[in-house]
């Protein structure tokens, strides 16, 4: 009796897998930068807008649960700053602060696999000794993300 031929198996890695660890990266960003998930989503939208007025902010803010103080809190946290004061014919313009732009760029780098998530307690509150249960669970996921990040850096790009 003849043996069946072995089937050759090839593994093709997806060209884009940004969202695989989105929940882990989002949780880290919210904890590290002290923002809510809604605030983070609004900052992503505003990052693309560059300059915006209150009407632009409100038009996107309307899809979230009602909170009249959201923009004021983002300004208080130093994530939104005034770009131009209002004049007789022009509305006040806002922009994301350097801190907010740096935060968004850091998140994109992690999503793109360009940098790992920090694991030192000073840079990641999930790794504090007094961290809660949820933080500890996410800390394990961060270690998995960083391990995969390290492996992807060592893997040659072949297609």
């Amino acid at each position: 009796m003849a043996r069946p031929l072995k089937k050759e198996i090839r593994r093709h890695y997806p060209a884009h897998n940004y969202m695989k660890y989105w929940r882990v990266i989002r949780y880290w960003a919210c904890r590290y930068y002290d923002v809510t998930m809604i605030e983070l989503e609004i900052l992503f939208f505003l990052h693309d807008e560059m300059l915006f007025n209150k009407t632009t902010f409100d038009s996107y803010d309307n899809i979230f649960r009602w909170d009249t103080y959201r923009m004021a809190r983002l300004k208080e946290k130093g994530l939104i700053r005034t770009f131009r004061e209002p004049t007789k014919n022009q509305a006040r313009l806002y922009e994301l602060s350097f801190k907010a732009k740096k935060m968004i760029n850091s998140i994109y780098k992690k999503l793109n696999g360009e940098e790992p998530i920090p694991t030192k307690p000073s840079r990641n509150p999930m790794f504090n000794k007094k961290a809660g249960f949820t933080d500890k669970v996410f800390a394990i996921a961060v270690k998995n993300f960083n391990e995969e990040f390290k492996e992807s850096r060592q893997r040659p790009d072949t297609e």
Side-chain angles (χ1 to χ4, degrees):
M1 181 179 221
R3 299 183 93 194
L5 296 174
K6 286 188 179 180
K7 194 175 193 180
E8 185 177 324
I9 299 173
R10 290 187 183 167
R11 173 77 173 128
H12 295 283
Y13 292 97
H16 305 288
N17 64 350
Y18 303 111
M19 305 310 284
K20 182 175 181 182
Y21 284 103
W22 167 239
R23 187 169 172 82
V24 176
I25 294 167
R26 181 186 65 185
Y27 186 83
W28 164 79
C30 289
R31 292 282 286 125
Y32 184 72
Y33 293 104
D34 189 30
V35 294
T36 65
M37 289 182 211
I38 291 173
E39 291 170 341
L40 184 63
E41 289 183 30
I42 289 173
L43 292 173
F44 272 112
F45 173 79
L46 296 174
H47 182 259
D48 190 56
E49 293 293 307
M50 299 182 82
L51 294 177
F52 57 93
N53 57 22
K54 181 80 166 94
T55 305
T56 304
F57 180 89
D58 289 342
S59 70
Y60 191 69
D61 188 44
N62 282 337
I63 66 171
F64 299 102
R65 68 179 151 79
W66 185 69
D67 183 353
T68 55
Y69 301 108
R70 187 171 288 129
M71 185 170 192
R73 259 195 323 278
L74 288 171
K75 286 165 63 176
E76 244 177 57
K77 291 179 179 183
L79 298 170
I80 292 178
R81 68 179 211 89
T82 302
F83 176 78
R84 180 185 72 199
E85 291 296 334
T87 63
K88 187 175 181 179
N89 300 328
Q90 297 175 325
R92 177 178 284 129
L93 287 180
Y94 301 96
E95 69 177 345
L96 293 187
S97 67
F98 176 76
K99 176 182 175 181
K101 291 175 187 175
K102 185 178 168 189
M103 171 181 43
I104 297 298
N105 288 330
S106 177
I107 294 168
Y108 276 130
K109 285 181 180 179
K110 286 164 182 54
L111 285 171
N112 287 326
E114 297 172 24
E115 69 181 28
I117 299 173
T119 56
K120 292 183 181 178
S122 61
R123 300 231 27 239
N124 192 338
M126 291 184 271
F127 286 87
N128 285 335
K129 289 184 180 184
K130 294 182 180 180
F133 176 77
T134 304
D135 283 347
K136 290 179 182 181
V137 171
F138 272 95
I140 293 167
V142 166
K143 289 177 184 177
N144 292 339
F145 169 82
N146 286 343
E147 186 63 35
E148 195 168 309
F149 169 81
K150 191 169 33 170
E151 287 174 10
S152 73
R153 287 287 181 201
Q154 296 171 352
R155 181 175 48 233
D157 290 335
T158 57
E159 292 226 22

